[in-house]
Amino acid sequence: MEFGRVNTEELFEVDFTLPPDPELTITTLKASKNDQPLQVHVGCAKWGRKEWLGKIYPLKTKEANFLDEYVKHFDCIELNATFYNIYGPETIAKWKVKAAQSPGFKFCPKFSQTITHIRRLKNADEITTKYYEGILAFGDNLGPLFLQVGDNFTPKSLPDLTAYLEQLPKDVPVFLEVRHKEWFADPAVREALFNMLHRLKIGALITDASGRRDVVHMTLPTPHAFIRFVGNSLHPTDYTRIDEWVKRIKQWRNLGLQSVWFFMHQHDERYSPELADYVVEKINKELGLNIMRPQFIDRDKGLFN
């Protein structure tokens, strides 16, 4: 992911402090009636990474079997493949079968770029139906969906955005990501966006990227968090940033957070397993959980022979 990238020498100059919780976040979480343990899921964006051969995938693993290996290490995937292509139920069913060896594994498919970037949410009913027909084949392996509008999608398109979200099926959770700076620069625009999401019970995706701190908005219109963390090749600041996130997730849990989806991105994706492992280790320690950690071949020899 190139979004929000800065030069390595600039990283120590970035203020990575997480902003305080907006009023809507506190109100939403306190109103959450949840007597169940917090559900935490940690994963990556893609399973097809050759850089992971010899790291978490056995060296001779064929690309066709990468998903079989991925599900041994993570309980979810931020499925970017559905952004570039709309897959029919037949293909989705094959992926579902591969995930069967990991009980509770979830796919979190991204909305098609034809819907969000080409048609810009207008005249998209037919293609949206086709997208849903495919992803619903995941069945009980389907996690929340995420809808990312383009970098040039401005608040002027709020009516189109609202109209599109209003007609989406209500039985599958959806998270929205906006990126244009005007969504965050004007308090009135920001309030209108997040209040609309709160009304529709649509989540607000948070992307933590070094060069776009405005997108780290910390607003939760629903009692669920979807975080895309963009690291910098295991730079020291990656670890201190994650430490802050774990503290905030713990605070949110105490207020009423019901679930968190934490997806690891790197500008160089070869390092995503290491940083995802650190996330899981810290969450398990601080929140008293037992989330599966990725197993590294050099560190955990013999586990998957």
Side-chain angles (χ1 to χ4, degrees), residues 21-22 58 74 92 107 111 135 169 186 204 218 241 256-257 293:
D21 291 336
F74 303 100
I92 298 294
F107 295 87
F111 274 72
I135 58 102
D186 186 333
M218 308 306 287
R241 291 164 62 195
L257 186 69
R293 292 177 62 181

Side-chain angles (χ1 to χ4, degrees), residues 47 65-77 91-107 137-142 292:
W47 65 71
N65 297 325
F66 279 4
L67 178 55
D68 301 85
E69 295 300 324
Y70 179 91
V71 301
K72 296 176 181 177
H73 304 281
F74 303 100
D75 69 355
C76 60
I77 181 82
T91 299
I92 298 294
K94 292 177 182 178
W95 292 343
K96 177 178 171 58
V97 169
K98 287 177 175 287
Q101 60 185 305
S102 177
F105 187 89
K106 301 294 184 181
F107 295 87
F138 280 127
D140 56 4
N141 292 111
L142 180 62
M292 174 177 62

Side-chain angles (χ1 to χ4, degrees), residues 82 86-89 92 109-112 115 124-139 142-147 164-175 202:
T82 52
I86 291 183
Y87 295 93
I92 298 294
K110 190 175 184 178
F111 274 72
S112 165
I115 297 169
D125 289 352
E126 184 177 345
I127 195 71
T128 299
T129 297
K130 189 175 180 182
Y131 164 78
Y132 270 87
E133 286 175 346
I135 58 102
L136 288 176
F138 280 127
L142 180 62
L145 319 180
F146 73 106
L147 190 156
Y164 183 79
L165 294 177
E166 285 178 336
Q167 56 83 42
L168 288 180
K170 308 302 182 187
D171 54 342
V172 183
V174 174
F175 287 83
I202 301 288

Side-chain angles (χ1 to χ4, degrees), residues 14-166:
V14 177
D15 182 2
F16 285 113
T17 305
L18 294 177
D21 291 336
E23 182 178 347
L24 180 58
T25 296
I26 297 173
T27 300
T28 297
L29 295 181
K30 285 186 174 181
S32 171
K33 297 180 180 180
N34 181 36
D35 56 2
Q36 300 298 317
L38 175 67
Q39 298 297 310
V40 180
H41 305 271
V42 179
C44 299
K46 301 176 181 178
W47 65 71
R49 306 303 311 192
K50 293 181 180 180
E51 307 98 308
W52 299 350
L53 289 170
K55 179 179 291 189
I56 61 173
Y57 299 168
L59 272 174
K60 296 183 180 180
T61 304
K62 297 179 180 179
E63 289 187 53
N65 297 325
F66 279 4
L67 178 55
D68 301 85
E69 295 300 324
Y70 179 91
V71 301
K72 296 176 181 177
H73 304 281
F74 303 100
D75 69 355
C76 60
I77 181 82
E78 185 200 281
L79 192 58
N80 280 284
T82 52
F83 179 72
Y84 301 102
N85 292 289
I86 291 183
Y87 295 93
E90 299 80 9
T91 299
I92 298 294
K94 292 177 182 178
W95 292 343
K96 177 178 171 58
V97 169
K98 287 177 175 287
Q101 60 185 305
S102 177
F105 187 89
K106 301 294 184 181
F107 295 87
C108 302
K110 190 175 184 178
F111 274 72
S112 165
Q113 63 180 338
T114 303
I115 297 169
T116 56
H117 290 59
I118 298 175
R119 299 194 181 179
R120 299 174 66 84
L121 308 182
K122 294 185 288 188
N123 301 315
D125 289 352
E126 184 177 345
I127 195 71
T128 299
T129 297
K130 189 175 180 182
Y131 164 78
Y132 270 87
E133 286 175 346
I135 58 102
L136 288 176
F138 280 127
D140 56 4
N141 292 111
L142 180 62
L145 319 180
F146 73 106
L147 190 156
Q148 177 198 84
V149 292
D151 294 11
N152 60 357
F153 192 92
T154 73
K156 292 180 181 179
S157 296
L158 180 60
D160 296 327
L161 175 61
T162 303
Y164 183 79
L165 294 177
E166 285 178 336

